[in-house]
Structures are given as structure tokens and as C-alpha cells.
Amino acid sequence: MKKLIGWVRQELGFHRNSNYETQYLNETNIRTAVYMSIVVISLEIWMLIRYVDKRPGLKFIEYFDGWTNYLILLSSAVISLTFAIRFRLKENAVERTKSISGIIVGILTLILDILMFIRFVYVRKGMKFSDLFDEAKYLIMLTVLICAYLIFEFFFASVSHRKAAIYGQFLNVIFALICLGFGIETSVYDVSRERQILCFVTMVIYAACLLIWKPYVSIIILSVAFTYFYKDWKPIMKAYDSPYAEKIMEANQINFLTFWIALTMVSISIYQQRLAEAKKDENLVSANARLKKLAVEDELTGISNIYQFVQDAESVMMTSPGSRIYLFINIENFKNYNDQFGYLAGNNFLKKVARIIKKTFDGCPVARQAYDHFVVLTKTEDVEAKIKEVRELIININTDIYIDVKVGSYTPHKEMSESTILTSESSHSEKELKAVGKLIDPRIAIDRARFACSLLKHKYDKHYMEYTSKLDMDFHKRQYIVNNIDNAVEKGYIQVYYQPVVWSESHTLCGCEALARWVDPKYGFLSPADFIPVLEEYRQIHKLDKCIWETVCRDIHNVTESGKHPVPVSLNFSRLDFELMDTVSVLEDLVTRYHVNKKDLHIEITESALTDDMGILQKSMQKLKEDGFSLWLDDFGSGYSSLNVLKDYSFDVLKIDMKFLSSFDSNEKSKIILNMIIDLATNLGMYSLTEGVETQEEADFLARVGCGRLQGYYFGKPMPLEQIIEKINDGTYVIKRLV
Ligand code: C2E
Ligand code: MG
Ligand code: MG
């Protein structure tokens, strides 16, 4: 029962429509008004012509008397049509202004209306005022309609589309009432002359179509119209002088009732149909809006995403480029926050961060670029104070965990001003400086700010870094390295330098370490510090390592071919090599191709590579060991987890980091530590090697405490193959292989 009541309520329209549905229904009614008014206009013109045709020879003013009704209908249809066309042509309310042609139509119909009024009063001279009011009701309604339209033109022409649609509904109602009134009046007149009630039928259909509102409203309007008409029609029918009067009366009543019900049903069904369309349309519109929002908004934090940021930044730089600065904000240690408090808490944290940044840089383009990275385009004034404020607020979100904020910045104009100073060219005009701001692609600007920010990593006392022209050069060098690694490998710019490793007892040569050098036609001699971190960052390091390993194997092969005994060479491996290529098969392949004895290759893996839990690395190391390569642990003691590494992995040689020798003379403790590490290595069944030996005292001490091998500038810097062969040939280095 409850369901049934609910359904009836729904069908009769006793529900609340959404704003969209109301707007849709109002607009469709106005659209219908276009067709309906065109039909009424054509019909009334035809009626006027017919009237003249049937009554030739009348004076114009006499025609005018008979025309009044047609002219009222014609004028109201013209007003209704004018409004509907205006509404549909200018769907965008912002563009809608007063329409001159609309005002002219309004004024002309008003003049016609006034003339009709004057004539009407003149013809009915001496009539009681109340009767006049009753007889002139349609003229009054027409006046209201025209005035309402003119008021709209003069005062509300630029209201919103929604309000204009409501206004249109109001005009429609007046138009429909005029139509209905005429329908009823004409048909009552026709019936008294034993004619059909077709005019009523036509007009009631017009009205029903014009006013598709809530069904219950349509039912009420139609019922009032039908009852009103029936009230006048019934006595006339009853008075018919016909033997069949009774029967005709009954049949007419049944037909009348059926028509009433049918029309009610039609208006309900049209309403429901329009409502369904409105709902479908609304869903589409809201889905579109959602998609549009997703395209420009960061889903998690609700601030702009990077695409929107780029657009906003472009328009800011186009309109007011002066003193603007791009910021790249990175939350340091956010990964640990996530690990400790969970993913959801991490998300909430990022939302708070977004809110802080947005509030501090209010009115500026702000976006989340990815993960815990945010970007801002703001004014240069007070920027450092604002960064400080943001940093403090973010750190204070949760003081239970170490979180820091690092910010890199890039100022388009500054870079140009600096380059002006550097190149001492004539100074650039303000206009030119602005042009730079306009030209810089926001993506590149962000990249530069990000680069400046990346230089703050692990610098615990610095939180802000500006991108300068010096950094610009580094930045370009980095880009160059990444873009040219393939070319460098192909053209032979990558070279291998060999650094001798000696026995501590006799200082005889026990091997060499292969160290990469990039001799570039543009940048000259590049050392690993320039290119290794960049290649690792961009995951290109395997290309370099593969090239170094192959060169080493080829060199060993050539030395062997020349009838000499090669010395073992240690190769540096990056942690990423194990991810980016199948290290085992690459090395196996090289060894086979160049007939290299596996004993002549040592694999150096730096300690920091082993901090992450990487199954793949462990498996590959195991395989290399089983294959007969010896594994060396490089830079032992440089990281935080040195002892763990010793526990979890097994190495043949421990290379002690050169930092232990840096304070050899000044700090007695370093000697104690070195001694302990060497003992530890021996106890764990490993050989030890100390790097960075630069003096005889260091070498003597290390030999005394039992470090088997030494490497460092004291014995020789890294050098090209020819040079080391020369030094072997002239007796500087004496080879002593492990037996
Ligand atoms: P590493 O493997 O620890 O290499 C030793 C570094 O210490 C070399 O620097 C070497 O020139 C330097 N060195 C040797 N003796 C002394 C000394 O007595 N005093 C001082 N101050 N320095 C000394 P280099 O050649 O610049 O290499 C730096 C790092 O770059 C290497 O450290 C290694 O981690 C990496 N690397 C070098 N070549 C390659 C390579 O082919 N592949 C990979 N993946 N990494 C490489
Ligand atoms: Mg090394
Ligand atoms: Mg090392």
C-alpha cells in the first residue's frame, strides 16, 4: 500500500525536482511555445483574412471591431514567440542584453493593444464599469502580457538562464489563459448555434501542451477549464429542440469526460517522459562535470593537478609575469610516515599539507605534482618567510615522527638577470625580462625547481635552494649525460682507468680496480661523480657498466693474446644493474666471448646497495659466487648498516672505506676502529683491503695490523691501460698473483 501511494505521488508529481530538472522542464515548455505560437499566429492570420473575405465592403474601422479577438490572440502569440526565440538564441545569459527588435515588437503590440482598448470603450459607450472590466478581460490580459515582456526587456534581460526560464513560464501561463478563455468563449457561442466545440478542443490542447508542469498542476488547470466550459455548455445543450436531445446530451457528456481524462493522461505522460529525459541529461551532465573535475583536480587533496597547474601558470605568466617564482616542495621522510602510521594516515597527512600550502599561498596556482611533491607559482616578495611558515606548520602536523620540508625554487627573470651579469652583455629591458617569463614552459620551470630541491637531499641544515645559473649549467650537463649515454658508449667516450691494488707486505701488484671515465667532446673529462649518480637516477647505469665490463674483458683478452699474464681486475656494480639487466648472463657471455678466466674478475658491490631488501640481488649474487666470481664488499663502513650486511651476505674481500683514513693523523680512534674491522673480517673468513691510502705511515700501519691489500694514491692513481702496462714493463709495479 505504501508502495502504491509512493508511486501515485511520484506519477502526479508530488516530489521535489532537482534544480536541473526544473530548469529542463521550464526550458522545454519555452521550446514548445515556439511551435504553439507559430500555429496560433498562422491560424489567426487565416481567420483575419477569412473575416475580410466574408464581409467585403466594410469600413476599416468596422473590420477592426470584428477582428479584436483574433488580434488579441495574434498579439499574445507574437509576444510569446518573440520571448521564446530570444531565450533560445541567447542561451548564454552573460551575452543576453536588451533586444532592440524585441522592444520594437513589444511596443508595436502595445500600441495595437491601446488602440483596441480605445475602440472597445468607444463602441461600448455608456456601459457599466464592472461589465466593461468583464468584457475587456482578454485585452487586460494581453496588456499584462505585453507589459511583462517589456519589463523583462528593460530590467531583466541579463538575468541568469534559470531565472529567464521562470519568467518565460509566467508569460506562457498568461498566453495559455488567453487561449483557453477564447476557446471556451468561442465554443459556447458555437454551441448556441448548434455548432461543434472544436475551438475549445483546440485551445485546451494548446494549453495542455504549453504548460507541461507538475501533473497535478496540469490536472487542476485542465479541470478548471473543463468545468468552466461545461457550466456554460450544459444549459445550451439541454435547451436543444431535438427528439434526440437526451441521447445527444448523454453522448456529448461521455465524449467530453473521455476527452478530459485522455488529455490529463497525455499531460502526465508527457511530463514523465520529459522528466526521464531530464534525469538522463542530468546524469550525463554530472558525469561530465565529474570527469572534468578529475582532469584538473588532484583526486586525493582536491587541489589542482599538474595539468591544471601548467595552464594556470601559463596564464599568470602571460598576464603578469613580473617577479614570479616557481617552488617545488618535497616532504622528506614521508615514506617512513606511511610505513609507521599506515596508508590512510599518510593520505590525511598529505591533505593537511595541501591545505597548508594552499592557504599560505592563497590566490596563487598550487598543485600536487605526485606523491609528496607540491608545486607553487607565487610572487617573489616574502617567499622565504612563507616557506618558513609552511615548513613549520607541516612539521607540526605530527611531531611524533621526523618529517622535514625541502623547497627548491626557480625564478625565470633572475636567471636572465644572472646570465646578463655573467656574460656582461648590455642589460635587458624589463620587456625582455618579462618575455623570458612568458617563454619558459612551466614544466621546465618545475623541473628546475625540482632539481634545486633534489640537491638538498640529506643536507640536514638546509631547507631551501634557489636554482642559479651555476645550477643551470649542472642541470644541462645532467640532461646531456642522460641524453648521450648511448652515443658515448658507441663512440668510445667511455673509457676505463685502472687503479693498482697492492699486497700490503711487499707492495707488489695484486690487481687493479676498473674505474669509469667519460672523455666528452663537449664537456671534456668527466669523473664518475658527474655521471654515475645521474645515470642511476635515470636508470641508465647498466649501459655504462656493461660497456666498462666489456672493455675490461677485451683488455684482459688482448693482454693474454700478447703473451702476458693479466692481473685480476675488480669491476664496480651498481645495485640497479641487477634490476635493469640479467647481470649473470651478461657477465657469463663476456667471459665466454673473450676467454677470460673467472678468477681474473672481481665483483665490487657497494655497501649502500645492500640496505634494501632485494631478493633479486641476493639471488644474482649467489649465482655469481657459484659461478666462480669472487665478491667484494665495497666502501665498508660508509653507511649505517655495515654490520647487518656482514651478517646477511657472504663476501670474499672487505674493502674498507677511505673515510677511516681521512683523520688518520689527528684521531687515534680511527686506528683502533681500522684494527677492529680488519680483525672482524679475518674472523669472518674474509680478506681485507683498505682504500684511499695516501701516505707511507698509513700503509705501514695497515700492514702491521694485518690488512692484506692496499689501494690509494700512494701506490698510484687510476690510469689508462697503456700507462699501467708501461709501469709494469719498466718495473714500477711487480706483479704477484695469489697462488
Ligand atoms: P669506488 O669504487 O670506491 O672507487 C674508489 C674511488 O676512490 C675512485 O674514485 C678512486 O679514484 C678514488 N681513490 C682511490 N685512491 C684514492 C686516494 O688515495 N685518495 C682519494 N681521495 N681517492 C682515492 P672514482 O674513480 O672517482 O670513482 C668514484 C666512485 O664511482 C667509485 O667508488 C665507484 O663507486 C663509482 N664508479 C667508478 N667507476 C664505476 C663503474 O664503472 N661502474 C659503477 N657502477 N660505478 C663506478
Ligand atoms: Mg669500487
Ligand atoms: Mg670504494
Side-chain angles (χ1 to χ4, degrees), residues 457-485:
K457 215 173 186 169
H458 305 311
K459 289 204 172 106
Y460 298 102
D461 54 336
K462 280 197 85 177
H463 312 107
Y464 177 58
M465 172 89 82
E466 283 184 69
Y467 185 90
T468 57
S469 41
K470 157 87 181 62
L471 286 190
D472 191 50
M473 268 149 45
D474 289 352
F475 184 76
H476 284 112
K477 194 152 108 185
R478 281 163 59 91
Q479 297 297 329
Y480 179 84
I481 286 165
V482 180
N483 295 337
N484 284 278
I485 177 66

Side-chain angles (χ1 to χ4, degrees), residues 375-413:
V375 287
V376 178
L377 173 64
T378 183
K379 290 200 164 145
T380 39
E381 65 191 47
D382 291 339
V383 74
E384 292 205 37
K386 283 186 178 165
I387 290 170
K388 196 165 165 249
E389 190 186 326
V390 164
R391 182 170 171 264
E392 274 163 19
L393 289 170
I394 294 176
I395 290 174
N396 283 331
I397 293 177
N398 190 340
T399 43
D400 293 343
I401 186 165
Y402 165 75
I403 284 280
D404 208 344
V405 178
K406 302 274 165 151
V407 181
S409 75
Y410 171 68
T411 319
H413 304 156

Side-chain angles (χ1 to χ4, degrees), residues 513-515 570-573 604-605 634-635 655 691 711:
E513 176 170 10
L515 294 159
S570 47
L571 305 171
N572 286 292
F573 274 51
E604 283 192 16
I605 298 165
D634 202 359
D635 306 328
K655 281 189 88 169
E691 299 182 83
Q711 179 183 350

Side-chain angles (χ1 to χ4, degrees), residues 74-127:
L74 182 65
S75 306
S76 50
V78 165
I79 292 290
S80 176
L81 180 66
T82 315
F83 181 87
I85 290 175
R86 291 261 294 115
F87 182 83
R88 292 206 59 195
L89 280 185
K90 293 274 183 268
E91 299 241 317
N92 187 350
V94 183
E95 289 172 18
R96 199 189 305 116
T97 48
K98 277 181 208 150
S99 152
I100 298 298
S101 44
I103 292 172
I104 292 173
V105 171
I107 289 177
L108 286 180
T109 42
L110 189 64
I111 292 170
L112 185 66
D113 180 49
I114 292 169
L115 289 177
M116 285 194 285
F117 236 116
I118 295 170
R119 177 74 192 163
F120 193 84
V121 175
Y122 175 77
V123 170
R124 289 159 180 79
K125 261 188 296 198
M127 188 184 257

Side-chain angles (χ1 to χ4, degrees), residues 51-52 55 57-67 71 112 115 119:
Y51 190 86
V52 176
R55 295 166 185 80
L58 283 184
K59 277 195 241 157
F60 178 74
I61 202 76
E62 287 161 353
Y63 281 123
F64 207 84
D65 291 337
W67 280 353
L71 285 176
L112 185 66
L115 289 177
R119 177 74 192 163

